[in-house]
Amino acid sequence: MNSPPDNPDDPRLSETRAATTPSDNAPPPSVFLKPGTALDHFEIVERLGSGGFGVVYRARDTRLGRTVAIKVLPEDFLRDDERRERFRLEATAASALNHAHICTIHDFVEAEGCHFIVMELVEGRTLHDILADGPLPVSKALDLGTQIASALAEAHGAGILHRDIKGANIVVTAKGQAKILDFGIAKRMEPGGDTTRDARSLTGTGMALGTLTYMSPEQLLGKPIDARSDLFSLGVVLYEMVTGRLPFAGSTPVAVTDALLHEPPRDFGDRPLPPRLKAAIVKLLEKNRDKRYSSAEELREDLESMKERPEGAQAGGRGLRRFSIAAAAAALVALAFAGWLWHRASRTRWVQSTAIPEISRLVAAEDYQRAASLIREARTVQPGDATLEKLWIQSTLEVSIASTPEGADVAIRPFRGSSRGWTPVGRTPMKKLRVPRDFYLWRVEKAGFLPAFEIEPTWSIVHKLRYDIVCRLDRARSVPDDMIHVPGGAFRPAIPGLDSLPQVPIDDFLIDRHEVTNEDFKKFVDAGGYQRSELWREPFSRDGRTIPFAEAAAAFRDGTGRPGPATWELGGFPKGLDKHPVAGVSWYESAAYAAFAGKTLPTVYHWNKAAQTQASLLISPASNFHGAETQPVGDDRISGFGTTDMAGNVKEWCSNESSDGKRFLLGGGFGEPTYMFIDQDAQSPWDRRPNYGFRCVRLASPAPPAATARITAAYRDFSKEKPVSDDLFRAYRGNYVYDKSALNARVEETLTLAEWRQEKVTFDAAYGGERVIAYLFLPKNAAPPYQTIVLFPGSGAIMADRFVLSPYADFIPRSGRALLAPIFKSTFERRDALKDDNPSETTFYRDHMVAWSRDLGRSIDYLETRSDIRRDALAYMGLSWGSQVAPVMLAVEPRFKLAILESGGLDFSRSLPDAEQLNFLSRVHVPTLMINGRYDHFFPVESSQKPFFRLLGTPEADKKYVLYETGHAPPRKEVIRESLDWLDKYLGPVKR
């Protein structure tokens, strides 16, 4: 085998990279490759396991007729340049090695949208699994240690460090041959033996990579490393082989880190071992690398010499002096008491000098899970400590749980955590339970009843001190297996554009667990659903004309003219898509199927209640938005109350009609931005796009009229509104002016990837003593000074916890231009109390608008301090929300030479006059490109987009409006083409 099997419950695996590189805990891909799948000339046979940077499969090389292993990068990582680059480095580094104890790399292939390494198939057990049965005989440990040292000597001689030596990366074959795997974070050493420059070029200054319990002190601290760091890790492995345990222990990552940095290794226990072997292991585990073996070859020679006399394990104890029993006993008592006193004092010092500062840092970083875990450990040393209790309150909140009936078992798991990582917390009713602040999936279950699931926001952004959970359990078999019970109550949708609707009381209801699938819909087709007029209960209307059933039904044909969805052929769905959601269906077809199934389409109230959109921060990233097609329904993409895929996959029709005769379509679908999960959309009920689908609800009683009513969206007639006078505008603009004080800028970290260098910089904000964060992406395929684009993101930034370039504008640095992404107040790492539904007419919103403008100005101030940036070649790029606020940003900031506005328009909600789009739009004069979708419900073409373009103060010859046949998100390739053409036109070609 080439990777350890999945075992999230293994305590050693749970510590992997937890304290140093949380982003390296690679989630499995949402869909594993099935046996028989072809990737280039390789055929998948079976899945073997998950490694640090990919999933490993047994495969058949159809060209050479041999069996190999292939490691495939998970699809979630294809958009992460850092992880993709590490994956490529494994192939590059390990392919240079040819050694009997190193897994051979054959090829690195990109095919069928996958990146994968082709390597030797190594049959056997990992050393990690072998040691689960207990320590090895000394002779076996010496034999394996010699083999591993020999392999490292070969790698180090080729200038390559492994950096993650551990039992899980060593396979032992049936013949006892050790093979080192997984050079996924390998590095080439610089001349002189360390990896200072190369390691930091990929990982960023001060970032440590590896597995915590095996990391050398210098590696843990992110300091320069050399071959002796791998030898430290091998020392840990050797210690494990002869004792069956780790030399540095702790119940939390912080405790393990403290032991690795400050504590000696644990004693070897009672097992008799050769003194030379113990001395060799202690030497490998020295904190100071200068005291370790100088090379793997030196270690190999030493271990080889020990193999000749393994019986020496007993020889070392024969020459001990004899002490009197009384003297020995007295000495032992004294030593024990002294040791107890020393240990107590040491642990107390650890709480005050190490634990409390680390807990405070974790709380400030909103890492409440690790903070709470460390507090629990520190409390065992100093119970009742006032500082610890204060930190406990800050990092947790109080939850009460009630159920009907009572006596149900409650378990939780962090939403981001393993699907098997449930932690029991008690039995209902429970009061004043304290849990770390986080988003949790709660499970409440009782024998004879169906389990209830709920996502509850107990995260810091909620700003609550307590939370109450109340659920009703349904008796087993009282709810169909394919449906979910959702509790009712007073409710209003919590997404923009619908959040102004009245609060409506709704009863408990059932909703389909998954979207309606192709095989489900085929039953409707086979039952003559397209011919049964009694199922088509809504009148057909188009262009103000009522259409007879026969004429309307003729419009609902598949690709071959047969009745069926637009994505079908010959009256059936494509082979292998039976479990995929039906797609390419109109609202009318969806409503007819619901009637056939004895259900209805959900109102926007019922849909939003079931989706739990308040947890969009966690639901959206795990959903099928970035895919190019539908994915099978399943339980791996959880949304509210145990439903799946209410975010992404296919957009879902709701029953409500909009004021212009359209029908609401919520949740977003594949190929759309993740923020569409929490954005309203309404389209013609006749539309049948490839990502349009639905799910149904079953109501115990008719929905309240207010929930089914036609929804009238906010509207303004901008043709009748005028901007303020120039004198008044100058007064408004004065609110945005700030003092040009010192920036005090710092480059916090640098990350070098295949196509660009990324710098994280910070500098003083122009208000409140805050610091602005910004990410600067500098291209590798062009020469400085660079043209630079400054990005203002979409409103999803208000809910996301960190900035990632790929969903936004990674084509900019690829084009040879620099891109600066300021982290504006209230977004990403600088989130605050602002939400996307904050009323725009408030001073609270206006003050934020001023802060965003000042953040933008300070970002340009920073760019002007750099010699590698052209001051005369700055461009503004706004995406959705960034386009909406662009009139204010561009009218106030004169240093931009052009603007690119994607998916923007005039907002129908009103703002205070000194933050109102309309008053700033005519004062924008830079060349401006607008890229929009014709069916954008948020910014409609006639009432929002076109008035925006018409009122824009830019000369007609220097503004361009491009419209595509899409919804809110224009086609990505067209956005790239139009944007680069616009940049070339007004800034000129890049300097290569």
Side-chain angles (χ1 to χ4, degrees), residues 50-64:
S50 299
F53 297 98
V55 181
V56 182
Y57 299 88
R58 184 193 304 270
R60 187 172 66 88
D61 185 334
T62 58
R63 288 184 184 173
L64 300 178

Side-chain angles (χ1 to χ4, degrees), residues 713-847:
Y715 178 78
R716 290 169 63 181
D717 186 350
F718 292 106
S719 66
K720 298 179 180 179
E721 298 188 40
K722 303 295 180 184
V724 297
S725 66
D726 289 344
D727 288 341
L728 192 51
F729 174 73
R730 280 191 289 271
Y732 292 163
R733 184 177 178 179
N735 293 339
Y736 295 83
V737 175
Y738 62 89
D739 293 329
K740 295 293 184 72
S741 57
L743 287 165
N744 298 315
R746 293 195 303 267
V747 177
E748 304 288 354
E749 64 183 26
T750 300
L751 185 67
T752 300
L753 302 176
E755 296 175 280
W756 58 73
R757 187 174 82 253
Q758 173 185 324
E759 295 181 5
K760 178 182 179 181
V761 300
T762 62
F763 43 84
D764 289 347
Y767 52 84
E770 296 187 31
R771 295 279 287 177
V772 178
I773 303 168
Y775 293 94
L776 180 61
F777 301 86
L778 300 169
K780 287 186 174 182
N781 60 354
Y786 305 110
Q787 301 174 16
T788 304
I789 288 74
V790 182
L791 177 71
F792 202 118
S795 61
I798 298 173
M799 291 157 286
D801 55 358
R802 72 184 185 96
F803 176 80
V804 178
L805 178 61
S806 55
Y808 295 101
D810 56 0
F811 68 89
I812 293 296
R814 289 191 176 115
S815 75
R817 296 173 172 90
L819 184 139
L820 183 74
I823 305 302
F824 294 92
K825 184 177 178 66
S826 312
T827 69
F828 300 116
E829 295 96 318
R830 299 182 65 205
R831 292 188 315 271
D832 60 14
L834 182 78
K835 298 183 293 183
D836 60 358
D837 60 348
N838 279 117
S840 57
E841 70 272 13
T842 61
T843 56
F844 179 77
Y845 184 84
R846 187 271 317 280
D847 291 346

Side-chain angles (χ1 to χ4, degrees), residues 288-358:
N288 183 347
R289 62 181 172 183
D290 291 335
K291 296 181 179 181
R292 298 175 206 151
Y293 285 89
S294 61
S295 69
E297 179 58 28
E298 181 187 357
L299 172 64
R300 187 201 65 78
E301 293 175 354
D302 204 2
L303 294 176
E304 190 71 49
S305 68
M306 295 181 209
K307 289 166 63 177
E308 300 173 3
R309 290 171 42 186
E311 71 280 359
Q314 284 80 30
R318 295 176 180 172
L320 295 176
R321 296 181 180 179
R322 297 180 180 272
F323 292 95
S324 70
I325 295 176
L332 286 172
V333 170
L335 284 172
F337 182 70
W340 178 81
L341 290 175
W342 178 88
H343 179 74
R344 187 180 67 172
S346 175
R347 296 292 286 166
T348 301
R349 287 195 302 271
W350 171 79
V351 169
Q352 298 299 323
S353 64
T354 302
I356 288 178
E358 176 64 7

Side-chain angles (χ1 to χ4, degrees), residues 602-674:
T603 70
V604 296
Y605 283 85
H606 292 87
W607 191 95
N608 276 276
K609 174 69 174 178
Q612 288 199 266
T613 52
Q614 75 270 26
S616 62
L617 173 69
L618 298 168
I619 295 174
S620 294
S623 302
N624 180 30
F625 276 107
H626 297 293
E629 58 186 1
T630 59
Q631 294 291 340
V633 301
D635 294 327
D636 55 343
R637 296 183 296 272
I638 296 174
S639 40
F641 298 100
T643 61
T644 67
D645 280 322
M646 295 193 77
N649 221 13
V650 291
K651 301 162 75 78
E652 300 181 16
W653 288 109
C654 294
S655 63
N656 299 79
E657 186 178 13
S658 68
S659 56
D660 52 2
K662 297 179 179 179
R663 296 284 178 167
F664 280 87
L665 189 66
L666 302 181
F670 69 84
E672 295 191 325
T674 55

Side-chain angles (χ1 to χ4, degrees), residues 129-161:
D129 288 341
I130 292 170
L131 292 178
D133 299 331
L136 301 179
V138 170
S139 59
K140 185 64 175 178
L142 286 170
D143 183 44
L144 293 177
T146 303
Q147 294 181 44
I148 299 166
S150 174
L152 287 180
E154 177 73 15
H156 296 166
I160 296 171
L161 300 184

